[in-house]
Structures are given as structure tokens and as C-alpha cells.
Amino acid sequence: MHLPAPTLILTWALIWPGWGLAQVVDSEPGKDSLPAPRAESSSAQPVILTVAPVVYHWRDDPEHKYAFVISLEQHLDRERLVGLALFRNSFGQPSAYAYGGYHWHDLLGEPRLSLKVSAGIIYGYTGEYADKVPLNWNGFSPGLIPSLSYKVSAKGSLNLMLLGTAGVVMGYSHSFQRSALP
């Protein structure tokens, strides 16, 4: 899949600074150096790979093509995360979603059920399809995606991601534990 230059620039601009975000947010005013990580975040946080080959649209449109999503997500601590999703949108255009989010575990008291909400920037709905997402400016638009996950194993989960009035995406996520830095 060929990604246009703006997608790569967007990825670099939004995701790269996020790797240190957890420590910068926790710093005390007036300190020049980054603080020591919190005890909770001193252990390695997972990197999550999601593959979502199923997209269901609420309304059928003859212009819709096969769409799929693949994403990589880094958890900054137990709740906060940043990620990048690369996908082919429903109109066959290569697209990307750079995001930050929050993850609620043990939803409704069920340890296997969780809710994740992400917000970020989408790039890829251009040309005649620019009006298919709200607030689109030269292919860039805001995104907000809630996701419901059900753990099927210690490292795997099934996901339903709501795409607003467009539809729902179904996928599988696998958690890879990074080794802690010395």
C-alpha cells in the first residue's frame, strides 16, 4: 500500500512526541529534567497489534470497496495509549489515523470486557470523497472511535470499533509485552 507523503508526515508529527508524553505530563512545574517514572509505569507496557478485516456499514453504498485496518498501539501506562492505524477506507483510498486514547478495564465488573476511546487525526478522504467524513480539510479530519474489547486469551482480544454513523469494524488484537528498560 502506497501512503502519500502527508500521511507519513502526520505519523511522525503526532506519534513520535507521544512516546515521552507520560513522563512530561507527570513533571513538576519548574523542573528542567524529566521526572522518574511512576512505580506503576516502571514495568514495561504492552504494544498491541490489531488486525481488523471486517467492516460493516450501516447503509449499503455501491461505491463501497473492501476496507481493512491494521494498527499498532503503545500503552503509556495501564490506561493511556497512543497509536497509528493504517487502513484502506471504504472508497479504496490509503488512509491513516494517528491517535491518543484511554482504556477502561474490567467494564461492568467483567474482567474480560474493556472499553477504549481514542481521539486523533484521520488522513485519507480526499478528492470526490472528502465529504464522507465531517470537518475534512485537505484530507485531514478529526476522529473519535470508541471500541469494545473482549479478552479471549491472556494476550488476545476481539474488538468492535464504532465508526459513528458509518458503521462498525471487527478485529482481533494481540498484546506484545516489551521488555523493561534497565
Side-chain angles (χ1 to χ4, degrees):
M1 168 170 51
H2 172 72
L3 293 175
T7 303
L8 298 175
I9 292 168
L10 172 69
T11 302
W12 182 260
L14 292 175
I15 297 302
W16 184 253
W19 295 109
L21 182 62
Q23 294 166 339
V24 172
V25 169
D26 293 334
S27 65
E28 294 178 28
K31 281 196 170 182
D32 291 334
S33 61
L34 293 176
R38 293 182 296 187
E40 175 187 3
S41 63
S42 63
S43 64
Q45 296 299 319
V47 172
I48 297 176
L49 174 68
T50 300
V51 177
V54 180
V55 177
Y56 174 78
H57 292 92
W58 305 130
R59 290 178 289 283
D60 194 28
D61 183 336
E63 289 189 89
H64 285 163
K65 295 176 174 57
Y66 176 69
F68 63 89
V69 180
I70 185 165
S71 71
L72 197 59
E73 188 171 280
Q74 170 67 61
H75 284 235
L76 303 173
D77 56 29
R78 183 163 159 78
E79 290 87 19
R80 297 175 299 160
L81 54 102
V82 293
L84 174 68
L86 301 177
F87 61 102
R88 182 169 61 191
N89 69 29
S90 301
F91 305 100
Q93 298 175 316
S95 303
Y97 174 52
Y99 59 92
Y102 199 85
H103 192 171
W104 290 270
H105 300 273
D106 304 332
L107 190 62
L108 304 172
E110 171 56 51
R112 291 179 174 245
L113 195 59
S114 67
L115 175 69
K116 193 183 306 181
V117 176
S118 66
I121 301 291
I122 300 170
Y123 177 79
Y125 290 82
T126 59
E128 63 184 292
Y129 303 111
D131 65 341
K132 299 297 183 179
V133 291
L135 304 173
N136 192 337
W137 179 77
N138 291 330
F140 293 92
S141 59
L144 180 68
I145 300 177
S147 173
L148 189 62
S149 296
Y150 185 79
K151 278 187 142 186
V152 293
S153 69
K155 295 190 178 278
S157 63
L158 297 175
N159 309 298
L160 285 175
M161 295 157 263
L162 183 63
L163 301 178
T165 60
V168 65
V169 177
M170 293 171 258
Y172 173 79
S173 294
H174 187 84
S175 177
F176 297 91
Q177 192 71 27
R178 290 182 14 194
S179 58
L181 296 175

